[in-house]
Amino acid sequence: VQLQASGGGLVQAGGSLRLSCAASGQTFSNYRMGWFRQAPGKEHEFVAGISWTGTSTYYAGSVKGRFTISRNSAKNTVYLQMNSLEPEDTAVYYCAATYNTSWSRDAMPFWGKGTQVTVSS
């Protein structure tokens, strides 16, 4: 499956952004979809994940209550709505797909190119 992320940008603290990730090449519903991020000098960090059907969602503690992941199977797209953004959310955000049950970085065989999110204070 091929993944294309978009929607990043520069926003002030407290603002919102919505990231999109369009999938192509394989049956979208076969994959659990996740968002990861990598800040300068840091490792990839799991941000949010969503199940094959979209009925189950998973979040890192640092974003729970502020970020919402969703998927639209008709559009083969997964979204990450980010509200109440903080400077600490500044990172390159990546979408990833897996048929595994783990959300670890190594369990995600398919990755899109990242999109930069910068939150100014």
Side-chain angles (χ1 to χ4, degrees):
V1 62
Q2 290 79 47
L3 304 173
Q4 180 65 53
S6 61
L10 173 64
V11 64
Q12 289 188 332
S16 298
L17 281 174
R18 188 176 81 155
L19 305 183
S20 300
C21 176
S24 62
Q26 297 288 338
T27 304
F28 184 60
S29 60
N30 287 348
Y31 298 93
R32 303 168 94 217
M33 302 296 296
W35 286 97
F36 290 72
R37 66 187 181 186
Q38 187 174 28
K42 295 188 177 181
E43 297 291 324
H44 277 81
E45 173 190 20
F46 169 76
V47 175
I50 190 165
S51 64
W52 295 275
T53 59
T55 55
S56 297
T57 56
Y58 311 84
Y59 296 95
S62 58
V63 307
K64 198 168 187 178
R66 301 188 296 122
F67 291 10
T68 302
I69 188 171
S70 61
R71 64 191 296 164
N72 184 325
S73 295
K75 295 184 177 181
N76 287 355
T77 301
V78 63
Y79 304 98
L80 185 67
Q81 178 67 43
M82 306 186 294
N83 298 329
S84 302
L85 283 161
E86 304 168 352
E88 293 73 24
D89 296 316
T90 295
V92 178
Y93 283 71
Y94 299 87
C95 62
T98 184
Y99 33 72
N100 298 313
T101 56
S102 169
W103 291 115
S104 72
R105 179 176 181 262
D106 292 341
M108 311 298 287
F110 306 105
W111 291 81
K113 292 184 179 179
T115 184
Q116 176 71 46
V117 172
T118 303
V119 184
S120 63
S121 58

